Amino acid sequence: MHSKFYKILLLVGLGSVVGVILLLQMYRFAVGPQGVEISFPTLSQVSLTSSPENAQCIECHQNESPGILDQYHDGKHSQRGVQCLDCHKPLEGQEKMTTVHYEVQMVAAPTPNNYAQCHDEAVHEFSISAHAAKSWYPVVGAEDFTKEELAKYHLLGEDGKPLNNGKPNVIRDVIGKDASALSCEACHGIGKKNDDGSFGDCRACHLGHDFSIEQARQPETCGQCHLGPDHPQMEIYNESAHGTYYAANKEKFNLGAPTGTLTTKDFPSPTCTTCHMSGIGDIEPTHNVSERLKWNLAPPIATIRADGRQNRQTMESICLNCHAQGTIDEHMTQAEKIIDLTNENVRKGQSIVNELRTIGLLPGSTMSTPIEYLEFELWHHEGRRARFGAIMSGADYVNWHGIYEQEKALVEIKAEAEEMKKD
Ligand code: HEC
Ligand code: HEC
Ligand code: HEC
Ligand code: HEC
Ligand code: HEC
Ligand code: HEC
Ligand code: HEC
């Protein structure tokens, strides 16, 4: 009687163990990082499949930093079984960044190299974009770069020397290191150099531990950096018909739609990412924000990029989802007239200031006289604003913050130059 009872108990016990193991294996293959997407797991399920080390991270950080755990559980990573150490575990080459944290080896701030384990395409596209090494260079100069990196990321001039003589941008020196740390380096940190030699910070757009695609697609995410007197893309978007439509109809947008399959049903009006990053219609998504640009609109004189015309075709294929070719042509032709006009105005200002420099009326150091600031803002503020306003439909920026301000500055530059010549 007794032995029969124990046999049944043993069988039931063994059966349950085998059953649990089978379930766990199914979970790993069906729901794990490579599996299909199912959105049910909760903390208990994640803990159940965690290695003891991951379970420890979760248990302790649940109390230490519940905000991070809330974001993590809301996100897709936890739903797909990606755990703390999938990102925080050190890789080869990350020795400098490795710490021992409660007896486990860890990197506190994972880099694109950690993400490349799963997302190598996004990492590659991002790394060759202006958001990576190229955006770090102007705020630190060549000192953070090896020779190979300077060549690889096109940071050498035609003479083979590092751009700008290897120095950071002149305004970085004007404001000093401390101010730069909280301004230049905050925005340009999207491309900062990491201790494992990689460049950039995916979390500049994929904020928090939820890594949400909805959030990455909202204009406000780009607007963290793309705003203000010298690159007011956010303000321009807000006043454009596209931005107005978005603001008034947000609930119609399917911001969480999977990448690469977007239609105009998901995005009835474009956000920044629709035009610059997303896949829509036949166009593939990209993490290289430079890929669809015809012009270099940021420098004093706007120029057309080497592959500019092809890039423009890609951009127009996006517009064609919602507009007729005639509407697009008309828009682009008018906008390019404004780009030409800003170039003309900048050249006028430059020639006056260059003359003063040639005849020795300006000191050797730059940015030390009022006229140099007038000339700087003529392109860096007013010229860019008019260009961006024209191409992205922000009328106020074309005129009142743009061409009008340029015309006014030219009058001031001329008057100032006359005064300096008199003295
Ligand atoms: C027993 C509790 C405990 C465990 C287990 C634990 N942590 Fe922590 N962790 C903390 C505390 C407390 C801090 C804050 C330390 C501080 O303020 O300096 C912290 C800080 C961190 C930081 C920030 C470190 C930095 O230098 O900025 C990271 C990242 C981190 N933990 C990740 C993990 C991961 C991943 C695991 C699992 C491998 C883990 N933690 C396990 C308690 C724990
Ligand atoms: C998809 C990758 C990824 C996963 C998964 C992940 N982390 Fe992180 N975590 C990061 C990155 C990247 C940072 C660094 C952010 C930065 O630049 O400071 C970070 C930072 C942290 C920090 C420091 C945050 C701060 O602001 O001080 C803690 C603590 C942390 N992670 C804990 C965890 C825990 C616990 C888990 C598991 C529940 C986890 N992480 C899972 C990528 C990840
Ligand atoms: C953390 C700051 C930051 C965020 C967030 C950010 N950017 Fe940028 N972006 C920059 C910086 C800095 C540059 C200038 C890089 C350089 O030096 O050429 C830039 C440049 C660009 C360029 C011009 C590229 C070129 O080749 O000239 C485009 C287009 C762009 N960003 C689009 C976006 C979009 C779209 C988003 C949102 C999904 C976004 N950015 C989010 C900082 C940011
Ligand atoms: C609010 C965020 C922000 C701050 C602060 C900021 N930048 Fe930028 N910067 C950008 C963005 C965004 C662009 C891209 C402009 C564009 O293409 O429209 C840019 C472009 C540039 C460019 C032209 C691109 C290139 O690679 O030649 C230089 C140079 C530059 N910034 C230097 C600086 C310096 C130096 C500072 C500090 C004095 C600074 N920036 C502060 C966001 C910022
Ligand atoms: C300039 C902002 C920005 C930066 C920086 C950025 N991303 Fe993204 N990411 C996006 C946007 C926007 C999307 C959605 C694109 C779309 O609409 O198709 C996205 C989508 C993704 C996706 C697809 C998610 C899904 O659910 O299909 C992955 C994976 C990804 N990013 C990884 C990365 C990695 C890795 C990095 C760093 C190397 C990175 N991202 C840096 C903005 C950014
Ligand atoms: C309707 C599509 C569309 C939308 C929406 C849009 N842009 Fe643009 N953007 C363009 C076009 C077109 C250009 C000019 C490209 C070219 O020909 O060089 C441009 C240029 C830019 C540039 C200038 C790059 C340079 O050469 O300096 C930046 C930066 C930029 N956009 C960022 C943004 C940001 C940030 C947002 C959202 C706040 C946004 N864009 C919204 C279409 C768009
Ligand atoms: C997903 C759909 C969609 C895409 C893509 C799109 N637009 Fe639009 N566009 C709209 C909507 C919606 C409006 C506002 C309503 C209207 O004018 O019909 C609009 C309005 C406009 C206007 C009129 C603006 C005004 O102030 O009257 C112009 C010009 C324009 N878009 C140009 C472009 C260009 C250029 C591109 C590509 C770089 C583009 N659009 C991409 C949906 C789109």
Side-chain angles (χ1 to χ4, degrees):
M1 174 66 196
H2 257 99
S3 72
K4 203 172 173 187
F5 175 76
Y6 281 118
K7 261 188 202 158
I8 290 173
L9 204 66
L10 191 71
L11 275 176
V12 170
L14 274 176
S16 317
V17 171
V18 171
V20 168
I21 290 176
L22 271 175
L23 275 173
L24 279 180
Q25 290 300 328
M26 275 166 61
Y27 177 87
R28 275 186 52 184
F29 285 109
V31 196
Q34 311 298 330
V36 292
E37 185 188 319
I38 300 174
S39 56
F40 61 77
T42 57
L43 173 61
S44 56
Q45 271 155 317
V46 170
S47 304
L48 191 69
T49 56
S50 292
S51 68
E53 283 144 0
N54 278 308
Q56 275 174 23
C57 318
I58 290 171
E59 270 158 32
C60 189
H61 275 277
Q62 186 89 337
N63 297 320
E64 288 298 336
S65 39
I68 289 180
L69 266 288
D70 289 345
Q71 292 161 359
Y72 172 71
H73 288 305
D74 277 348
K76 269 194 191 166
H77 279 130
S78 67
Q79 295 168 12
R80 299 275 290 260
V82 178
Q83 300 180 10
C84 317
L85 282 168
D86 289 320
C87 294
H88 283 281
K89 188 179 176 168
L91 302 173
E92 226 182 282
Q94 294 187 320
E95 293 75 16
K96 260 203 251 172
M97 309 163 56
T98 303
T99 52
V100 177
H101 184 64
Y102 297 91
E103 295 171 14
V104 178
Q105 294 212 328
M106 175 185 90
V107 291
T111 74
N113 285 349
N114 300 83
Y115 298 132
Q117 299 175 98
C118 295
H119 305 300
D120 56 344
E121 207 173 316
V123 170
H124 173 70
E125 289 164 354
F126 170 80
S127 76
I128 56 172
S129 80
H131 273 155
K134 185 168 179 283
S135 87
W136 192 231
Y137 187 85
V139 300
V140 289
E143 71 178 33
D144 243 10
F145 293 78
T146 64
K147 268 198 186 129
E148 292 73 31
E149 285 162 357
L150 290 171
K152 181 174 170 193
Y153 297 113
H154 310 289
L155 298 168
L156 299 172
E158 277 166 12
D159 54 2
K161 294 212 186 95
L163 296 177
N164 198 30
N165 288 322
K167 290 195 305 239
N169 181 271
V170 57
I171 306 298
R172 153 59 165 66
D173 292 338
V174 170
I175 68 167
K177 264 199 166 157
D178 291 340
S180 167
L182 289 182
S183 62
C184 316
E185 288 170 45
C187 294
H188 287 260
I190 192 172
K192 71 176 182 198
K193 183 157 187 181
N194 302 306
D195 283 339
D196 59 0
S198 65
F199 285 91
D201 179 7
C202 307
R203 292 224 317 180
C205 296
H206 296 287
L207 300 171
H209 270 75
D210 36 8
F211 297 89
S212 132
I213 196 169
E214 288 93 328
Q215 175 252 292
R217 280 177 174 148
Q218 300 197 28
E220 288 81 0
T221 297
C222 317
Q224 291 175 94
C225 307
H226 287 274
L227 80 175
D230 51 343
H231 30 65
Q233 284 99 7
M234 188 63 204
E235 293 90 330
I236 288 167
Y237 178 72
N238 283 341
E239 76 169 33
S240 74
H242 294 140
T244 307
Y245 188 100
Y246 170 73
N249 298 284
K250 260 188 193 169
E251 74 289 347
K252 285 192 195 157
F253 285 66
N254 183 9
L255 291 168
T259 44
T261 62
L262 298 184
T263 68
T264 51
K265 278 222 165 355
D266 302 312
F267 281 74
S269 169
T271 65
C272 319
T273 60
T274 318
C275 293
H276 291 289
M277 298 182 72
S278 301
I280 183 166
D282 310 332
I283 303 298
E284 293 283 317
T286 182
H287 270 76
N288 180 354
V289 284
S290 315
E291 217 171 84
R292 299 174 185 172
L293 305 178
K294 172 176 170 186
W295 290 86
N296 255 316
L297 295 174
I301 303 293
T303 53
I304 294 177
R305 297 176 192 232
D307 39 10
R309 293 186 197 279
Q310 192 190 328
N311 297 353
R312 170 55 60 83
Q313 265 184 3
T314 314
M315 178 68 83
E316 290 192 4
S317 308
I318 307 265
C319 319
L320 276 169
N321 282 289
C322 305
H323 296 291
Q325 187 67 51
T327 309
I328 302 166
D329 289 345
E330 196 187 322
H331 170 78
M332 293 298 184
T333 312
Q334 282 187 326
E336 295 194 339
K337 280 190 197 151
I338 299 297
I339 295 175
D340 291 342
L341 186 54
T342 61
N343 280 350
E344 237 175 78
N345 284 339
V346 172
R347 284 203 186 92
K348 281 185 200 158
Q350 281 178 337
S351 82
I352 298 170
V353 175
N354 286 345
E355 193 205 333
L356 293 179
R357 199 163 276 133
T358 321
I359 56 180
L361 285 181
L362 285 177
S365 61
T366 46
M367 306 310 284
S368 49
T369 50
I371 199 168
E372 286 167 287
Y373 279 88
L374 285 172
E375 189 233 356
F376 174 69
E377 292 183 8
L378 184 67
W379 66 270
H380 190 265
H381 289 32
E382 294 125 27
R384 281 184 182 173
R385 290 196 297 244
R387 292 168 191 162
F388 298 145
I391 206 95
M392 288 184 267
S393 306
D396 194 40
Y397 284 83
V398 178
N399 177 39
W400 295 116
H401 300 298
I403 302 295
Y404 166 84
E405 290 280 356
Q406 275 198 323
E407 296 296 347
K408 183 170 153 227
L410 279 174
V411 171
E412 286 165 0
I413 288 173
K414 271 181 212 148
E416 185 80 13
E418 290 309 319
E419 276 305 307
M420 288 172 82
K421 282 189 204 161
K422 262 194 232 156
D423 294 341

